[in-house]
Amino acid sequence: MAQPARELLRFPAAGDPYMRAADRLRVEASPRTLALYSAVWRRYRQFLNGRAPSEETANDLLTRRSFELKPKSMGVERAALVYLLNRVLRLNADLIRAKQEDRLPVNVPTDEEQARLLTACASWSEYALFALLLGAGLRIGEVLQIHKRDVAAE
C-alpha cells in the first residue's frame, strides 16, 4: 500500500509547493519514484533553509551532491529538482548535468606487438590460444572455456 504524499514529504501545509509536487507526481508516477523524488525534495528544502527555490540554489545543491553520488544517482536528483522547479513552480530552470564517468581506454595491441606475441609462443596450443584472443577479440575467460572438442579439426 502506497503511503500518502503528505506522510512521505512530512510537510503539513496543503498549499506548499512540495505538497503540490507530490500530489501531481502521485498521479503521474510510481510510488517508488514518488519516494525517491520526495527524499530529494526534503534535502532541497533543508538546503534552502528559508531561501526561495531557484535555479542557482538547485545547482548549488547538485554541485555539492556531485561529490557524494555517482552520475546515475545525480540524474535522479536532477530529474526530481527539474520536476519541482519546472513543472510545479514554473521557473524554467536549466540545471547542470552530472559528469559522465570516464571509460577506461581500450588498449588494442598494434600489428607489430601481435606478431611479437605470436612468435614468442612456445607451443602450438599457446599459439592457438593467443591467435584466437587476438583474431576473434575474445576475452581471456571466454578462450579458457573452450575445449578441444569445441574446435573442428577440418
Side-chain angles (χ1 to χ4, degrees), residues 8-48:
L8 283 172
L9 286 171
R10 297 187 193 113
F11 299 138
D16 189 12
Y18 299 92
M19 274 314 309
R20 286 196 325 256
D23 289 339
R24 281 185 64 178
L25 192 63
R26 191 175 65 242
V27 173
E28 298 173 6
S30 71
R32 184 168 186 257
T33 303
L34 176 61
L36 287 170
Y37 279 29
S38 297
V40 173
W41 296 337
R42 271 197 300 275
R43 274 193 297 275
Y44 182 55
R45 186 173 190 153
Q46 238 177 0
F47 178 75
L48 287 176

Side-chain angles (χ1 to χ4, degrees), residues 84-85 98 105 132 141 146 150:
L84 176 70
L85 296 175
L132 192 58
I146 296 175
D150 298 331

Side-chain angles (χ1 to χ4, degrees), residues 2 8 35 61-62 79-80 88 109 122:
L8 283 172
L61 177 64
L62 287 174
V88 177

Side-chain angles (χ1 to χ4, degrees), residues 20 22 28 31 37 46 50 53 64 66-67 70 75 82 87 92 96 100 107 111 119 121 132 135 154:
R20 286 196 325 256
E28 298 173 6
Y37 279 29
Q46 238 177 0
R64 286 186 185 194
S66 68
F67 296 108
K70 293 187 178 200
V82 164
R87 295 195 60 195
N92 198 20
I96 59 172
Q100 296 298 318
N107 294 329
D111 291 338
T119 55
C121 293
L132 192 58
E154 297 173 7

